[in-house]
Amino acid sequence: MDTRIGFGYDSHEFKPGVPLRIAGLALEHPEGLAGHSDGDVLLHAVTDAILGSVAAGDIGTFFPPGDPRWKDADSSIFLNLALEELQHAGFRIANVDTTLILAAPKIAPVAGAMCSRLADLLGVNLDQVSIKAKTPEGLNLDHVAQCHAVVLVERVQEPEELKSMSEVIETQKQLEDVVEDLLSSVHGVPKKRIAPVYDTEDIT
Ligand SMILES: [Zn+2]
């Protein structure tokens, strides 16, 4: 199995009067996370982990914080772009594990709903996502929410149709090689490589 791993981290400061969104879920709380976008600390960490797994840069590469287009943006936009990069690289998510670090609100009562939302956004099953939470003991960071995320990704198997196509091409190549060998031994015609009809790398 061809697998890769990605890691992501993010932090945002709590600010009064801002809506709180974590894992794409709106939470009842007097404070929200300040950020250029909607400040969804968990989605940002997961987005970075996915981009990192296929060495595709980070969230800032695609969405510079100063760009007015991403002001108050729904962070699922960032996640979708990371998923596109992942797909483009030929990989899919095996599982995601995250740890939130925040003093309040309590995550345990909403962890199930958060996991469902995250699984939906990622297009995976519930047993492929995990959201854990801790309080920032001894860090003096009660005004901050942090999130760590790791993602394991696996290479998508070639569809059967493409596999059989490449087998046909392989057979054609072998046949051409035999003919070339015969020609060069009989007539002294120099061997040349015949390019395949199309580039198989592009059909993914
Ligand atoms: Zn962020």
Side-chain angles (χ1 to χ4, degrees):
M1 179 75 70
D2 190 356
T3 56
R4 296 176 65 110
I5 194 164
F7 170 74
Y9 167 80
D10 195 32
S11 70
H12 284 272
E13 194 170 9
F14 279 102
K15 201 171 144 187
V18 173
L20 179 61
R21 279 182 84 85
I22 302 180
L25 208 68
L27 301 175
E28 280 295 328
H29 197 59
E31 295 182 312
L33 295 171
H36 186 65
S37 65
D38 65 6
D40 195 321
V41 69
L42 188 139
L43 291 192
H44 296 176
V46 171
T47 298
D48 263 0
I50 294 169
L51 289 173
S53 73
V54 289
D58 65 18
I59 202 166
T61 314
F62 296 93
F63 305 99
D67 193 324
R69 277 180 300 171
W70 314 122
K71 180 90 186 79
D72 301 323
D74 184 331
S75 293
S76 61
I77 295 169
F78 311 148
L79 194 67
N80 282 336
L81 177 121
L83 290 172
E84 270 173 33
E85 288 295 311
L86 183 73
Q87 197 178 23
H88 186 72
F91 283 83
R92 69 174 164 222
I93 288 170
N95 76 300
V96 178
D97 187 20
T98 62
T99 299
L100 279 164
I101 305 154
L102 74 177
K106 287 256 163 282
I107 297 302
V110 288
M114 274 186 182
C115 282
S116 300
R117 180 78 181 124
L118 183 60
D120 280 353
L121 290 172
L122 293 171
V124 299
N125 296 325
L126 199 52
D127 64 358
Q128 289 172 283
V129 302
S130 151
I131 296 175
K132 312 184 301 301
K134 300 178 80 67
T135 50
E137 292 299 319
L139 293 175
N140 201 20
L141 285 174
D142 285 5
H143 59 297
V144 172
Q146 302 171 74
C147 187
H148 298 264
V150 282
V151 57
L152 187 76
V153 298
E154 58 192 8
R155 192 178 288 283
V156 177
Q157 296 299 310
E158 266 185 294
E160 285 304 313
E161 198 184 326
L162 283 183
K163 236 190 257 177
S164 59
M165 252 194 238
S166 55
E167 274 162 19
V168 170
I169 290 164
E170 215 32 64
T171 317
Q172 272 178 357
K173 254 192 250 164
Q174 283 162 3
L175 195 69
E176 284 159 6
D177 284 347
V178 172
V179 172
E180 276 176 40
D181 281 344
L182 277 172
L183 281 174
S184 64
S185 66
V186 175
H187 302 294
V189 179
K191 286 180 81 168
K192 61 171 172 32
R193 276 249 53 93
I194 299 168
V197 191
Y198 49 82
D199 186 352
T200 52
E201 292 296 312
D202 286 340
I203 310 171
T204 50

